[in-house]
Amino acid sequence: MTAIEARFRGTLGRFSFDVAFDAPMRGVTALFGPSGCGKTTILRCLAGLHRAEDGRLAIDGMVWQDGRRFVAPHRRAIGYVFQEASLFAHLSVAGNLDYGRRRRRAAIGATDRDEVVGLLGLEALLDRVPGSLSGGERQRVAIGRALLSGPEVLLMDEPLAALDRASKAEILPYLERLNESLAIPTIYVSHDMAEVERLADRMVLMESGRVRAAGPLAELVADPLLPFAKTPDAAVVIAGTIEAYDPHYMLTTVAAPGGKLVVPGHIGETGTERRLRIVASDVALCHAPAPAGTSILNALPTRIVAAEPVGEFRMNVFMRLGHGPDGAHLIGRITRKSWDVLGLAVGDEAVALVKSVALTD
Amino acid sequence: MWESVLLTLKLATVTTVILLVVGTPIAWWLARSKSWWKEAIGTVVALPLVLPPTVLGFYLLLMLSPKSPLGSAASSLFGHPLPFSFAGLVVGSVLYSLPFAVQPIRNAFEAIGERPLEVAATLRASPLDAFLTIALPLARPGLLTGAVLGFAHTVGEFGVVLMIGGNIPGETKVLSIAIYDYVETLQWREAHVLAAGMLVFSFLVILAMTVIDKRMRRRLG
């Protein structure tokens, strides 16, 4: 399948970067890392706003940078959402939305204005001027403006970072809806793990101008060698399909690779996808088979794939759901003593006792 | 008397139009260029701010005289020598008022910053397109200030006009020269009318500029 192929090497001031990654032409790929690691620079290289001294960029077969070839930003079919909305102050909301729409090439991007206006809830704002909008409203307009320019790729540079908590909560559902209804591949720069867990399918983990790891989000957060699993609030992300709802106990059953999880509440329609989050410290272990007398609803058969000490007295036990090789990742955080008492080893079957499962939002 | 008022308005209008056409690209370049010698060009543009008008007039007189290469070229272009003509006055006024028009426009362009133009580029606008549809409208307060200052400054000029224009009624005898003339010939009443008129005009210009500027900034803020 054709994809986004990016490789950039260069310097910006005293900062040097050397980055290479691929991303598929669908879904959300997060460029994740601490502030100052070069995420924004890479995003600007993708847009052509910054020209890396050396690099290659091909998107869906079109080469935008290679050797001396460099396509100017206005000739690239990208949509860019900056950290600050950066609306044109002299144009109304409608004028801002139409700016890119009028200039796009007709053949690409069938995204229709009414659809985008509806998706982002902009109907009531069209005649307003940017100065009169709230921060969240402005960013919604900026996202709509980028979408209407008919992008083949959407580049988002921490679009929520400059917003307060309430505005963030207001925009996140819109971003999720976009991913579901418009099939535009998105590169999403962020240093906020909660945002990434909620929105991204894949992740490129950056560290001081280099790529530390890249791959599906669910694999990276459960990788024993990466820092995520070692944090106090380590968690795994599991995508599953809603299978059934029990109205009497108000519990939803979600089918995930290798097992079924029970989640409290009615979390969606049967057949839809949901993303679940399980915190490592909410997962305990015991020997198979699953114990009979327990209040824990989610007692899941797993296979242990790795075990690593965390700090002085705890262990991370890395598991795959079910007994096959493709089960969802799970991390259990137990004491070192418990691990020794259990006498389990890598490769063994065990039962994960999951105390709580939450949606990523 | 009214002849010099009309001539002054005509000179100031023509000069302002030329100032905007010439000054805007210069201001854009000064605001955006990263070349090391841009400040040298900026200084040349700013020279009339400190140079005595008579000095500027003196050099212009030499440069525009039919004996100089530039002057003879200009003479054959206009069909007459530039010194002591309306066209000569326009050339002098444009150079003399250039910093007053360029500085506010340059400041306005610099205040816009890189971001709106980057946004325009990501929305498929070519650099020229972005200049016309984003930079110019956003710089409106600066363009207005530049135009008004250029116009007002041209209305009030004296030294340069005296050096290269002289005192030809209907051709080069502008307001400030007329006032000087009336005082010299002890025609106090006429001098009073023109001087008081200039006073009121200057007051209104600055007041109008402040009000319009405030209103525009509120709209763009």
Side-chain angles (χ1 to χ4, degrees), chain A residues 2 10 17-18 24 52 73 100 128 134 139 144 156 167 176 206 209 213 225 240 249 256 260 321 330 337 352:
Chain A
T2 44
F17 56 91
D18 185 352
R128 305 258 297 270
S134 73
Q139 200 56 283
M156 299 184 128
S167 308
E176 282 178 328
M206 287 188 61
L225 301 175
Y249 288 113
K260 285 175 190 174
L321 278 190
L330 199 60
K337 179 178 177 184

Side-chain angles (χ1 to χ4, degrees), chain A residues 4 25 59 64 77-80 150-155 184-187:
Chain A
I4 301 164
M25 282 303 281
I59 288 194
W64 284 349
I78 45 142
Y80 201 110
E152 305 242 350
V153 190
L154 194 58
L155 306 173
I184 304 175
T186 303
I187 310 281

